[in-house]
Amino acid sequence: MNTPVHAAPSSELRPGPNRVHFTSEGVPMVGDLYLPAGYRAGDKLPAVVVTGSWTTVKEQMAGAYARRLAEQGYAALAFDFRFFGESGGEPRQLESPAAKTRDILSAVTFLESVPAVHRGRIGALAVCASAGYMADAVAQDRRLRAYVAVAPWLHDAELVEAIYGGEAGVQRRLQATDEAEAQARRGEGVRYVPAVSTTDASAAMFGQLDYYLNPRRGAIPAWDNRFAVQSWREWLIYSPMPSAARIRVPVLLVHSEQAAVPAGARKWFGQVSAPKKMLWLDGATQFDFYDQPAQMEAAIRAAVAHFAASL
C-alpha cells in the first residue's frame, strides 16, 4: 500500500470539508474529507470512502453523498481519481476501471492514517459506474467492512452489447481505441470526444442527459466534458460480475427499475453470498440518485442504517 503524502494532524482537521492529499502508485491525489459539525480533535469516527459515476469529479455526486454522510456522524472522503479533476496522471480523462480500483485502495490507506478515523470502521459507498470499481476493491481488501452501491451500473459482455449497439457498436469503439492509441504512439496527442453530448454521436454518453449538461446540476467548472477515446477498450471488456462472489462483508444495493441497467444490478446481487439487502425506489431515474433530494435522502437513510449495523 502507498504511504500518504499528507495526513493532517488531528488539531488541523475541522468540521466540514478538509482538503487532503495522498498518493496512489506515486500519482498525487486530491480529495475532500468531510467531518461532522460536532467533530472535535481526538474523536475517532467511522469513515466511508465515497465515489461517483465514470468521468466525474469529487465535487459532483461523490461530494454530495460525502457531505450528507458527514451530517450523520461519519468521516467521508470524496476524491478525484487519477487522470481526473485535481489529481495527477496522464492521459487526462482516461477511464480505467483497474486504475480506479487501485486508487480506492490507496484512499483506504490514506484514511487509516487520519487521526480522526477509526481505522477498523471504514466502509464504502459508490454511485453508478464506480460501484463496479468499488465492488472489486471490497472483494480484494477486507479493510472495507461494509459496502453500499447506489444506482449501480454493473455490466458484463452480454449487457455491453445490448447497451452499445450490438457487436458492431462494440467493434466500432474498439477500433476507435486502436486508432487513438496509434495516434498517441506517434506523438500526435490524445484523442478526445465529449463525455456527454446531444449532437455528437461519438460521445461517451449521447443524448438528453440533463445532469451533465445543466450548470445547476453536474455541469460545473471542475468537470471536464471530455472522454479519452483510448478508454473504450478497458471499459468495454471490464466486468465487475466476478467480484460479487468474493465479497465477504455486508452489502446494500439501492436502485430503481427506471435507473440504468437494473438487469445488471440484479445479476450481480444474485451472486453475492455475503449478508445482503436490496432497496428498490419506485420511479427514480438514474440521475435522480445523483442530486435530487428525495432519492438521495432515501439512499442516505438506508446507507446510514447499513453502516450503523455493519461498521
Side-chain angles (χ1 to χ4, degrees), residues 9-81:
S10 182
S11 60
E12 292 183 11
L13 295 170
R14 297 289 184 267
N18 295 264
R19 179 58 53 94
V20 295
H21 303 266
F22 59 100
T23 60
S24 184
E25 300 182 321
V27 177
M29 308 289 285
V30 180
D32 290 322
L33 178 65
Y34 293 80
L35 297 179
Y39 168 76
R40 297 292 181 269
D43 288 351
K44 291 287 188 180
L45 303 170
V48 182
V49 180
V50 186
T51 56
S53 182
W54 72 331
T55 82
T56 61
V57 292
K58 63 185 178 300
E59 291 84 1
Q60 293 169 306
M61 66 287 290
Y65 274 86
R67 184 178 301 108
R68 284 162 175 77
L69 285 168
E71 291 169 358
Q72 299 298 317
Y74 293 83
L77 175 65
F79 66 95
D80 287 327
F81 287 106

Coordinates of all heavy atoms in Angstrom, one line a residue, residues 9-81:
P9 N -2.6 16.5 11.0 CA -2.7 16.2 12.4 C -4.2 16.5 12.9 O -4.9 17.3 12.3 CB -1.7 17.2 13.1 CG -0.8 17.5 12.0 CD -1.5 17.5 10.7
S10 N -4.6 15.8 13.9 CA -5.9 16.0 14.4 C -6.3 17.4 14.7 O -7.4 17.9 14.4 CB -6.1 15.1 15.7 OG -7.4 15.2 16.2
S11 N -5.3 18.2 15.2 CA -5.6 19.6 15.5 C -5.8 20.5 14.3 O -6.4 21.5 14.4 CB -4.4 20.2 16.3 OG -3.2 20.1 15.5
E12 N -5.4 20.0 13.1 CA -5.6 20.8 11.9 C -7.0 20.5 11.2 O -7.4 21.2 10.3 CB -4.5 20.5 10.9 CG -3.1 21.0 11.3 CD -2.1 20.8 10.3 OE1 -2.4 20.4 9.1 OE2 -0.9 21.0 10.6
L13 N -7.6 19.4 11.6 CA -8.9 19.0 10.9 C -10.0 19.8 11.6 O -10.0 20.1 12.8 CB -9.1 17.5 11.1 CG -8.1 16.6 10.4 CD1 -8.3 15.1 10.9 CD2 -8.3 16.7 8.9
R14 N -11.0 20.1 10.7 CA -12.1 21.0 11.2 C -13.4 20.3 10.7 O -13.4 19.6 9.7 CB -12.0 22.4 10.6 CG -10.7 23.2 11.0 CD -10.9 23.6 12.5 NE -9.7 24.4 12.9 CZ -8.6 24.0 13.4 NH1 -8.5 22.7 13.6 NH2 -7.7 24.8 13.8
P15 N -14.5 20.6 11.4 CA -15.8 20.2 10.8 C -16.0 20.7 9.4 O -15.5 21.8 9.1 CB -16.8 20.8 11.8 CG -16.0 21.0 13.1 CD -14.6 21.3 12.6
G16 N -16.7 19.9 8.6 CA -16.9 20.3 7.2 C -15.9 19.7 6.3 O -15.1 18.8 6.7
P17 N -15.7 20.3 5.1 CA -14.7 19.7 4.2 C -13.3 20.1 4.5 O -13.0 21.3 4.8 CB -15.1 20.3 2.8 CG -15.9 21.5 3.1 CD -16.5 21.3 4.5
N18 N -12.4 19.2 4.5 CA -10.9 19.4 4.6 C -10.2 19.0 3.4 O -10.4 17.8 3.0 CB -10.4 18.6 5.8 CG -11.0 19.1 7.2 OD1 -10.4 19.9 7.9 ND2 -12.2 18.5 7.5
R19 N -9.5 19.8 2.8 CA -8.7 19.4 1.6 C -7.5 18.5 2.0 O -6.8 18.9 2.9 CB -8.1 20.7 0.9 CG -7.3 20.4 -0.4 CD -8.0 19.7 -1.4 NE -9.3 20.2 -1.8 CZ -9.5 21.1 -2.8 NH1 -8.4 21.5 -3.5 NH2 -10.7 21.6 -3.1
V20 N -7.4 17.4 1.4 CA -6.4 16.4 1.7 C -5.7 15.9 0.5 O -6.2 16.0 -0.6 CB -7.0 15.2 2.5 CG1 -7.7 15.6 3.8 CG2 -8.1 14.5 1.6
H21 N -4.5 15.4 0.7 CA -3.6 14.9 -0.3 C -3.0 13.6 0.0 O -2.6 13.3 1.2 CB -2.4 15.9 -0.6 CG -2.9 17.3 -0.9 ND1 -3.1 17.8 -2.2 CD2 -3.3 18.3 -0.1 CE1 -3.5 19.0 -2.1 NE2 -3.6 19.4 -0.9
F22 N -2.9 12.7 -0.9 CA -2.3 11.4 -0.7 C -1.7 11.0 -2.1 O -1.8 11.7 -3.1 CB -3.2 10.4 -0.1 CG -4.5 10.1 -0.9 CD1 -4.6 8.9 -1.7 CD2 -5.6 10.9 -0.8 CE1 -5.7 8.7 -2.4 CE2 -6.8 10.6 -1.5 CZ -6.8 9.5 -2.3
T23 N -1.2 9.8 -2.2 CA -0.7 9.3 -3.4 C -1.3 7.9 -3.7 O -1.7 7.2 -2.8 CB 0.9 9.1 -3.5 OG1 1.3 8.2 -2.4 CG2 1.6 10.5 -3.2
S24 N -1.4 7.6 -5.0 CA -1.8 6.3 -5.5 C -0.8 5.8 -6.5 O -0.7 6.4 -7.6 CB -3.2 6.3 -6.1 OG -3.6 5.1 -6.4
E25 N 0.0 4.8 -6.2 CA 1.0 4.3 -7.1 C 1.9 5.5 -7.6 O 2.3 5.5 -8.7 CB 0.4 3.6 -8.2 CG -0.4 2.4 -7.7 CD -0.9 1.5 -8.9 OE1 -1.4 2.1 -9.9 OE2 -0.9 0.3 -8.7
G26 N 2.2 6.4 -6.7 CA 3.1 7.5 -7.0 C 2.4 8.7 -7.6 O 3.1 9.8 -7.8
V27 N 1.2 8.6 -7.9 CA 0.4 9.7 -8.5 C -0.2 10.6 -7.4 O -0.9 10.1 -6.5 CB -0.7 9.2 -9.4 CG1 -1.5 10.3 -10.0 CG2 -0.1 8.3 -10.5
P28 N 0.0 11.9 -7.5 CA -0.6 12.8 -6.5 C -2.1 12.8 -6.6 O -2.7 12.9 -7.7 CB 0.0 14.2 -6.8 CG 1.2 13.9 -7.6 CD 0.9 12.7 -8.4
M29 N -2.8 12.7 -5.4 CA -4.2 12.6 -5.4 C -4.8 13.7 -4.5 O -4.2 14.0 -3.5 CB -4.7 11.2 -4.9 CG -4.1 10.1 -5.6 SD -4.7 9.8 -7.2 CE -6.3 9.1 -6.9
V30 N -5.9 14.3 -4.8 CA -6.5 15.3 -4.1 C -8.0 14.9 -3.7 O -8.7 14.4 -4.6 CB -6.6 16.6 -4.9 CG1 -7.2 17.8 -4.0 CG2 -5.1 17.0 -5.3
G31 N -8.3 15.2 -2.5 CA -9.7 14.8 -2.0 C -10.2 15.8 -1.0 O -9.5 16.7 -0.6
D32 N -11.5 15.7 -0.7 CA -12.1 16.4 0.4 C -12.6 15.4 1.4 O -13.4 14.5 1.1 CB -13.3 17.2 -0.2 CG -12.9 18.3 -1.1 OD1 -11.9 19.0 -0.8 OD2 -13.6 18.6 -2.1
L33 N -12.1 15.6 2.6 CA -12.5 14.8 3.8 C -13.5 15.6 4.6 O -13.2 16.6 5.2 CB -11.3 14.4 4.6 CG -11.6 13.6 5.9 CD1 -12.2 12.2 5.5 CD2 -10.4 13.5 6.8
Y34 N -14.8 15.1 4.5 CA -15.9 15.8 5.2 C -16.0 15.2 6.7 O -16.1 14.0 6.8 CB -17.2 15.6 4.5 CG -17.3 16.3 3.1 CD1 -16.7 15.7 2.0 CD2 -17.9 17.5 3.0 CE1 -16.7 16.3 0.8 CE2 -18.0 18.1 1.8 CZ -17.4 17.5 0.7 OH -17.4 18.1 -0.6
L35 N -16.0 16.2 7.6 CA -16.2 15.8 9.0 C -17.5 16.4 9.6 O -17.9 17.4 9.2 CB -15.0 16.2 9.9 CG -13.6 15.6 9.5 CD1 -12.5 16.2 10.3 CD2 -13.7 14.1 9.6
P36 N -18.1 15.7 10.6 CA -19.3 16.2 11.2 C -19.2 17.5 11.8 O -18.1 17.9 12.3 CB -19.7 15.1 12.2 CG -18.9 13.9 11.8 CD -17.6 14.4 11.2
A37 N -20.3 18.2 11.9 CA -20.3 19.6 12.6 C -19.8 19.5 14.0 O -19.2 20.4 14.5 CB -21.7 20.1 12.5
G38 N -20.1 18.4 14.7 CA -19.7 18.2 16.1 C -18.3 17.6 16.3 O -17.9 17.3 17.4
Y39 N -17.5 17.5 15.2 CA -16.2 16.9 15.4 C -15.3 17.7 16.3 O -15.3 19.0 16.2 CB -15.5 16.7 14.0 CG -14.1 16.4 14.1 CD1 -13.7 15.1 14.4 CD2 -13.1 17.4 13.9 CE1 -12.3 14.8 14.6 CE2 -11.7 17.0 14.1 CZ -11.4 15.8 14.4 OH -10.0 15.5 14.6
R40 N -14.6 17.0 17.1 CA -13.6 17.6 18.0 C -12.3 16.8 17.9 O -12.3 15.6 17.7 CB -14.0 17.7 19.4 CG -15.3 18.5 19.7 CD -15.0 20.0 19.4 NE -16.2 20.8 19.7 CZ -17.1 21.1 18.7 NH1 -16.9 20.7 17.5 NH2 -18.1 21.9 19.0
A41 N -11.1 17.5 18.0 CA -9.8 16.8 18.0 C -9.8 15.7 19.0 O -10.3 15.9 20.1 CB -8.7 17.8 18.2
G42 N -9.4 14.5 18.6 CA -9.4 13.4 19.4 C -10.5 12.4 19.1 O -10.4 11.2 19.5
D43 N -11.5 12.8 18.4 CA -12.6 11.9 18.0 C -12.1 10.8 17.1 O -11.2 11.1 16.3 CB -13.7 12.7 17.3 CG -14.5 13.5 18.3 OD1 -14.3 13.4 19.5 OD2 -15.4 14.3 17.8
K44 N -12.6 9.6 17.2 CA -12.3 8.5 16.3 C -13.6 8.1 15.6 O -14.5 7.5 16.3 CB -11.7 7.3 17.0 CG -10.3 7.6 17.5 CD -9.3 7.6 16.4 CE -7.9 7.7 16.9 NZ -6.9 7.7 15.8
L45 N -13.8 8.5 14.4 CA -15.1 8.4 13.7 C -15.1 7.2 12.7 O -14.0 6.9 12.1 CB -15.3 9.6 12.9 CG -15.4 11.0 13.6 CD1 -15.4 12.1 12.6 CD2 -16.5 11.0 14.6
P46 N -16.2 6.6 12.6 CA -16.4 5.6 11.4 C -16.2 6.4 10.2 O -16.6 7.6 10.1 CB -17.8 5.1 11.6 CG -18.5 6.1 12.4 CD -17.5 6.7 13.3
A47 N -15.7 5.8 9.1 CA -15.4 6.5 7.9 C -15.9 5.8 6.7 O -16.1 4.6 6.7 CB -13.9 6.7 7.7
V48 N -16.2 6.6 5.6 CA -16.7 6.0 4.4 C -15.9 6.6 3.2 O -15.8 7.8 3.1 CB -18.2 6.3 4.2 CG1 -18.7 5.6 2.9 CG2 -19.0 5.8 5.4
V49 N -15.4 5.7 2.3 CA -14.9 6.2 1.0 C -16.0 6.3 0.0 O -16.8 5.4 -0.1 CB -13.8 5.2 0.5 CG1 -13.3 5.7 -0.9 CG2 -12.7 4.9 1.4
V50 N -16.2 7.5 -0.6 CA -17.3 7.7 -1.5 C -16.8 8.0 -2.9 O -16.0 8.9 -3.1 CB -18.2 8.9 -0.9 CG1 -19.4 9.1 -1.8 CG2 -18.5 8.7 0.5
T51 N -17.4 7.3 -3.9 CA -17.0 7.6 -5.3 C -18.3 7.7 -6.2 O -19.4 7.3 -5.8 CB -16.2 6.4 -5.8 OG1 -16.9 5.1 -5.6 CG2 -14.9 6.3 -5.0
G52 N -18.1 8.4 -7.3 CA -19.2 8.7 -8.2 C -19.1 8.1 -9.5 O -18.3 7.1 -9.7
S53 N -19.9 8.6 -10.4 CA -20.0 7.9 -11.8 C -18.7 8.1 -12.6 O -17.8 8.9 -12.2 CB -21.2 8.6 -12.5 OG -21.4 8.0 -13.8
W54 N -18.7 7.4 -13.7 CA -17.5 7.5 -14.6 C -17.4 8.9 -15.1 O -18.4 9.6 -15.2 CB -17.5 6.4 -15.7 CG -18.5 6.6 -16.8 CD1 -19.7 7.2 -16.7 CD2 -18.4 6.2 -18.1 NE1 -20.4 7.2 -17.9 CE2 -19.5 6.5 -18.8 CE3 -17.4 5.5 -18.8 CZ2 -19.7 6.2 -20.2 CZ3 -17.6 5.2 -20.2 CH2 -18.7 5.6 -20.8
T55 N -16.2 9.3 -15.4 CA -15.9 10.7 -15.9 C -16.0 11.8 -14.9 O -15.7 12.9 -15.3 CB -16.6 11.0 -17.2 OG1 -17.9 11.6 -16.9 CG2 -16.7 9.9 -18.2
T56 N -16.5 11.5 -13.7 CA -16.9 12.6 -12.8 C -15.8 13.0 -11.9 O -14.8 12.3 -11.8 CB -18.2 12.3 -12.0 OG1 -17.9 11.1 -11.2 CG2 -19.3 12.1 -13.0
V57 N -16.0 14.1 -11.2 CA -15.0 14.6 -10.2 C -15.7 14.7 -8.8 O -16.9 14.6 -8.7 CB -14.5 16.0 -10.6 CG1 -13.6 15.9 -11.8 CG2 -15.6 17.0 -10.8
K58 N -14.9 14.9 -7.8 CA -15.3 14.9 -6.4 C -16.4 15.9 -6.1 O -17.1 15.7 -5.1 CB -14.1 15.0 -5.5 CG -13.4 16.4 -5.6 CD -12.2 16.4 -4.7 CE -11.4 17.7 -4.8 NZ -11.0 18.0 -6.2
E59 N -16.5 17.0 -6.8 CA -17.5 18.0 -6.5 C -18.9 17.6 -7.0 O -19.8 18.4 -6.7 CB -17.0 19.3 -7.1 CG -15.8 20.0 -6.5 CD -14.5 19.4 -7.1 OE1 -14.5 18.5 -8.0 OE2 -13.4 19.8 -6.6
Q60 N -19.0 16.5 -7.7 CA -20.3 16.1 -8.2 C -21.0 15.2 -7.2 O -21.0 15.5 -6.0 CB -20.2 15.6 -9.6 CG -19.8 16.7 -10.6 CD -19.3 16.1 -12.0 OE1 -18.5 15.3 -12.1 NE2 -20.0 16.6 -13.0
M61 N -21.5 14.0 -7.6 CA -22.3 13.2 -6.7 C -21.5 12.6 -5.5 O -22.0 12.5 -4.4 CB -23.0 12.1 -7.5 CG -22.1 11.0 -8.1 SD -21.3 11.6 -9.6 CE -22.6 11.8 -10.7
A62 N -20.2 12.4 -5.7 CA -19.4 11.8 -4.6 C -19.3 12.8 -3.5 O -19.5 12.5 -2.3 CB -18.0 11.5 -5.1
G63 N -19.1 14.1 -3.8 CA -19.0 15.1 -2.7 C -20.4 15.3 -2.1 O -20.5 15.5 -0.8
A64 N -21.5 15.2 -2.9 CA -22.8 15.4 -2.3 C -23.1 14.3 -1.3 O -23.7 14.6 -0.2 CB -23.8 15.4 -3.4
Y65 N -22.8 13.1 -1.6 CA -23.1 12.0 -0.7 C -22.1 12.1 0.5 O -22.5 11.8 1.7 CB -22.9 10.6 -1.4 CG -24.2 10.2 -2.1 CD1 -24.5 10.6 -3.4 CD2 -25.1 9.4 -1.4 CE1 -25.7 10.3 -4.0 CE2 -26.3 9.0 -2.1 CZ -26.6 9.4 -3.3 OH -27.8 9.1 -4.0
A66 N -20.9 12.4 0.3 CA -19.9 12.5 1.4 C -20.4 13.6 2.4 O -20.3 13.4 3.6 CB -18.5 12.9 0.9
R67 N -20.9 14.7 1.9 CA -21.4 15.8 2.8 C -22.5 15.3 3.6 O -22.6 15.5 4.9 CB -21.8 17.0 1.9 CG -22.2 18.2 2.8 CD -22.6 19.4 1.9 NE -21.5 19.8 1.0 CZ -21.4 19.5 -0.3 NH1 -22.4 18.9 -0.9 NH2 -20.4 19.9 -1.0
R68 N -23.4 14.6 3.0 CA -24.6 14.1 3.8 C -24.2 13.0 4.8 O -24.8 12.9 5.9 CB -25.7 13.6 2.8 CG -26.4 14.7 2.2 CD -27.1 14.3 0.9 NE -27.9 15.4 0.4 CZ -27.5 16.4 -0.3 NH1 -26.2 16.5 -0.5 NH2 -28.3 17.3 -0.8
L69 N -23.2 12.2 4.5 CA -22.8 11.2 5.4 C -22.1 11.9 6.6 O -22.3 11.4 7.8 CB -21.8 10.2 4.8 CG -22.4 9.2 3.9 CD1 -21.4 8.5 3.0 CD2 -23.2 8.1 4.7
A70 N -21.4 12.9 6.4 CA -20.7 13.7 7.5 C -21.8 14.3 8.4 O -21.7 14.3 9.6 CB -19.8 14.8 6.9
E71 N -22.9 14.7 7.8 CA -24.0 15.2 8.6 C -24.6 14.1 9.6 O -25.2 14.5 10.6 CB -25.1 15.8 7.7 CG -24.7 17.0 7.0 CD -25.7 17.4 5.9 OE1 -26.7 16.7 5.7 OE2 -25.5 18.4 5.2
Q72 N -24.4 12.9 9.2 CA -24.9 11.8 10.0 C -23.8 11.2 10.9 O -24.0 10.1 11.5 CB -25.4 10.7 9.1 CG -26.6 11.1 8.2 CD -27.8 11.5 9.0 OE1 -28.1 10.9 10.0 NE2 -28.4 12.6 8.7
G73 N -22.7 11.9 11.0 CA -21.7 11.5 12.0 C -20.4 10.7 11.5 O -19.6 10.2 12.3
Y74 N -20.3 10.7 10.2 CA -19.2 9.9 9.5 C -18.1 10.9 9.0 O -18.4 12.0 8.6 CB -19.7 9.0 8.4 CG -20.6 7.9 8.8 CD1 -22.0 8.1 9.1 CD2 -20.1 6.7 9.1 CE1 -22.8 7.1 9.5 CE2 -20.9 5.6 9.5 CZ -22.3 5.9 9.8 OH -23.1 4.9 10.2
A75 N -16.9 10.4 9.0 CA -15.8 11.0 8.2 C -16.0 10.4 6.8 O -16.0 9.2 6.7 CB -14.5 10.7 8.8
A76 N -16.1 11.2 5.8 CA -16.4 10.8 4.5 C -15.5 11.4 3.5 O -15.4 12.6 3.4 CB -17.9 11.1 4.1
L77 N -14.8 10.6 2.7 CA -13.8 11.0 1.8 C -14.3 10.9 0.4 O -14.6 9.8 -0.1 CB -12.5 10.2 1.9 CG -11.4 10.5 0.9 CD1 -10.9 11.9 1.1 CD2 -10.3 9.4 1.0
A78 N -14.4 12.1 -0.3 CA -14.6 12.1 -1.8 C -13.3 12.6 -2.4 O -12.7 13.5 -1.9 CB -15.7 13.0 -2.2
F79 N -12.8 11.9 -3.5 CA -11.5 12.3 -4.1 C -11.6 12.2 -5.6 O -12.5 11.5 -6.1 CB -10.4 11.4 -3.5 CG -10.5 10.0 -3.9 CD1 -9.8 9.5 -5.1 CD2 -11.3 9.1 -3.2 CE1 -9.9 8.2 -5.5 CE2 -11.4 7.7 -3.6 CZ -10.7 7.3 -4.7
D80 N -10.7 12.9 -6.2 CA -10.6 12.8 -7.7 C -9.7 11.6 -8.0 O -8.6 11.4 -7.5 CB -9.9 14.0 -8.3 CG -10.9 15.2 -8.3 OD1 -12.1 15.0 -8.4 OD2 -10.4 16.4 -8.1
F81 N -10.2 10.7 -8.8 CA -9.4 9.6 -9.3 C -8.2 10.1 -10.1 O -8.3 11.2 -10.7 CB -10.2 8.6 -10.2 CG -11.2 7.8 -9.4 CD1 -12.6 8.1 -9.5 CD2 -10.8 6.7 -8.7 CE1 -13.5 7.3 -8.8 CE2 -11.7 5.9 -8.0 CZ -13.0 6.2 -8.0

